[in-house]
């Protein structure tokens, strides 16, 4: 298979290489958000936080307007993003600084910087918000951060080159995709111990879990497919072909579909979870890798590392309805939960340019 090989999964994480970004088209038409009914109450603010690997910033997008409303300087090589369950904090892995930046989502100020392992690539938050898990690709382990003290309380040895993290909805287990050993480590969170190792495809990179916690979907970068793990048995029960070099993925809140970003083919594969069959393929920008969904499941945001933008997919039509310019080489993306207070303040105009 032509491609960059599993080693370049770190490029997706901002650790080895990304293609040179293409120039944006200044003549592209702006996209307008859908008008809301005058009788409906104003929507709560929901923000997408995008790690701009090449510019050491996080772009903040108001998902109601598809506009960048803030740009937050963070550590060197920001790569992955996760939001606390209450929407109050945003955690960003600084892959070149071996740290995690903590952003106050109300003010968009960095309030803490926490040292972790070597070259942190992915981050996930426990459902109760008390723990943050960080995959460190160069030290082959996971740092466990206590969010109350802001310190690393434990380190878990996993497989080689961990590049994906996901926590079960009940918080009982953490799943870690190990790109170097072609497997997934299952960690019991009560003891921070690996209790099972599940072989999957070649170069596993991303993980997503269904809302009920019954299935884990794993993107395999170099075998161009997605493994489906049954949580109860700990076995792969299906394998679904995807595009070239699948990386990030997300399950919709209703659990019916999975959206997979294919880094090499510049598109998104849509998988139906009932049959594990491909329902659609959606062209996006170049080098798509990070994927996140709005709380209502209506839109999926995809970061395109090589075109420095974010594609917004309408899940009702599986069509791109907006393209938003952000910082250089965007990688990870996370979206705040519904119902958070809109106490956010803007610090700057969009540094990466207007909405296209």
């Amino acid at each position: 298979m032509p491609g960059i090989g599993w080693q370049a999964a770190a490029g997706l994480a901002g650790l080895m290489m990304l293609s040179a970004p293409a120039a944006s088209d200044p003549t592209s038409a702006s996209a307008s958000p859908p008008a809301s009914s005058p009788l409906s109450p104003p929507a709560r603010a929901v923000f997408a936080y995008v790690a701009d690997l090449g510019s050491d910033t996080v772009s903040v997008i108001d998902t109601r307007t598809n506009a960048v409303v803030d740009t937050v300087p963070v550590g060197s090589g920001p790569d992955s993003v996760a939001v606390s369950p209450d929407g109050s904090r945003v955690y960003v892995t600084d892959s070149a600084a071996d740290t995690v930046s903590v952003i106050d989502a109300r003010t968009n100020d960095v309030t803490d910087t926490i040292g972790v392992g070597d070259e942190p690539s992915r981050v996930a938050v426990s459902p109760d918000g008390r723990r943050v898990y960080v995959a460190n690709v160069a030290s082959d382990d996971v740092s466990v951060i206590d969010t109350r003290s802001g310190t690393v309380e434990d380190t878990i040895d996993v497989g080689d080159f961990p590049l994906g993290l996901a926590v079960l909805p009940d918080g009982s287990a953490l799943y870690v995709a190990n790109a170097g050993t072609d497997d997934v480590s299952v960690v019991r969170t009560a003891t921070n111990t690996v209790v099972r190792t599940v072989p999957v495809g070649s170069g596993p990179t991303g993980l997503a879990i269904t809302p009920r916690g019954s299935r884990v979907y794993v993107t395999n970068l170099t075998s161009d497919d997605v493994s489906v793990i049954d949580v109860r048995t700990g076995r792969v029960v299906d394998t679904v072909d995807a595009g070239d070099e699948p990386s990030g993925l997300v399950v919709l809140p209703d659990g019916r579909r999975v959206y997979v970003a294919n880094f090499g083919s510049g598109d998104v594969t849509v998988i139906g979870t009932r049959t594990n069959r491909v329902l659609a393929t959606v062209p996006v920008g170049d080098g798509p890798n990070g994927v996140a969904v709005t709380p209502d499941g209506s839109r999926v945001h995809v970061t395109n590392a090589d075109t420095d933008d974010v594609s917004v997919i309408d899940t009702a039509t599986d069509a791109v309805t907006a393209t938003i310019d952000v910082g250089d080489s965007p990688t990870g993306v996370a979206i705040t939960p519904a119902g958070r207070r809109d106490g956010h303040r803007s610090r700057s105009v969009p540094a990466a340019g207007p909405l296209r």
Side-chain angles (χ1 to χ4, degrees):
M1 179 200 76
I4 55 179
W6 74 260
Q7 291 91 344
L12 301 178
L15 303 176
M16 296 182 74
M17 62 181 175
L18 281 169
S19 303
S24 60
D25 180 3
T27 64
S28 297
S30 296
S32 299
S36 59
S37 166
L39 299 179
S40 61
R44 290 275 189 170
V46 174
F47 296 97
Y49 284 77
V50 178
D52 305 317
L53 172 72
S55 49
D56 296 341
T57 57
V58 170
S59 296
V60 185
I61 298 170
D62 187 331
T63 63
R64 298 170 300 179
T65 62
N66 289 329
V68 175
V69 295
D70 217 339
T71 302
V72 185
V74 289
S76 180
D79 179 1
S80 178
V81 188
V83 179
S84 62
D86 64 1
S88 65
R89 293 181 181 179
V90 179
Y91 298 90
V92 185
T93 55
D94 307 317
S95 62
D98 298 343
T99 58
V100 170
S101 294
V102 184
I103 299 172
D104 182 327
R106 183 182 62 84
T107 63
N108 283 340
D109 291 319
V110 174
T111 58
D112 200 3
T113 302
I114 304 167
V116 288
D118 296 341
E119 298 181 4
S121 67
R122 295 294 187 269
V123 60
V125 186
S126 63
D128 62 9
R130 294 182 178 180
R131 301 289 183 273
V132 171
Y133 301 97
V134 182
N136 305 302
V137 300
S139 49
D140 300 333
D141 55 29
V142 173
S143 299
V144 183
I145 298 172
D146 182 327
T147 59
R148 289 165 292 188
S149 65
T151 59
V152 174
E153 66 175 16
D154 207 349
T155 301
I156 308 165
D157 291 331
V158 290
D160 295 347
F161 224 79
L163 269 175
L165 290 176
V167 187
L168 286 183
D170 65 4
S172 64
L174 169 73
Y175 287 72
V176 185
N178 305 304
T181 44
D182 297 339
D183 55 33
V184 171
S185 299
V186 184
V187 177
R188 179 179 290 125
T189 55
T191 58
N192 288 334
T193 55
V194 175
V195 295
R196 177 176 282 163
T197 301
V198 184
V200 290
S202 177
T205 303
L207 294 169
I209 299 176
T210 55
R212 292 185 179 181
S214 61
R215 295 286 188 273
V216 179
Y217 286 79
V218 186
T219 53
N220 303 305
L221 186 78
T222 53
S223 53
D224 297 338
D225 54 28
V226 176
S227 298
V228 185
I229 299 174
D230 183 296
V231 169
R232 184 180 61 84
T233 65
R235 296 179 179 178
V236 172
V237 294
D238 212 341
T239 302
V240 187
D241 290 335
D244 295 343
E245 298 167 354
S247 53
L249 73 168
V250 72
V251 182
L252 294 192
D254 63 10
R256 295 181 179 180
R257 282 177 286 166
V258 180
Y259 285 71
V260 180
N262 301 304
F263 185 82
S265 51
D267 53 31
V268 171
T269 299
V270 184
I271 300 171
T273 57
R274 187 176 65 84
T275 61
N276 286 329
R277 297 296 177 261
V278 174
L279 304 178
T281 301
V282 185
V284 289
D286 294 340
N289 53 94
V291 192
V293 63
T294 53
D296 63 3
S298 66
R299 284 156 292 159
V300 167
H301 289 61
V302 183
T303 60
N304 304 305
D306 292 344
T307 43
D308 299 340
D309 53 32
V310 173
S311 298
V312 182
I313 299 173
D314 183 330
T315 59
T317 62
D318 284 334
V320 173
T321 57
T323 302
I324 308 164
D325 290 332
V326 290
D328 295 342
S329 300
T331 51
V333 56
I335 295 178
T336 57
R340 59 156 282 184
R341 294 183 179 179
D342 189 4
H344 158 272
R345 62 171 172 82
S346 296
R347 87 175 70 236
S348 64
V349 296
L355 171 69
R356 291 197 289 134

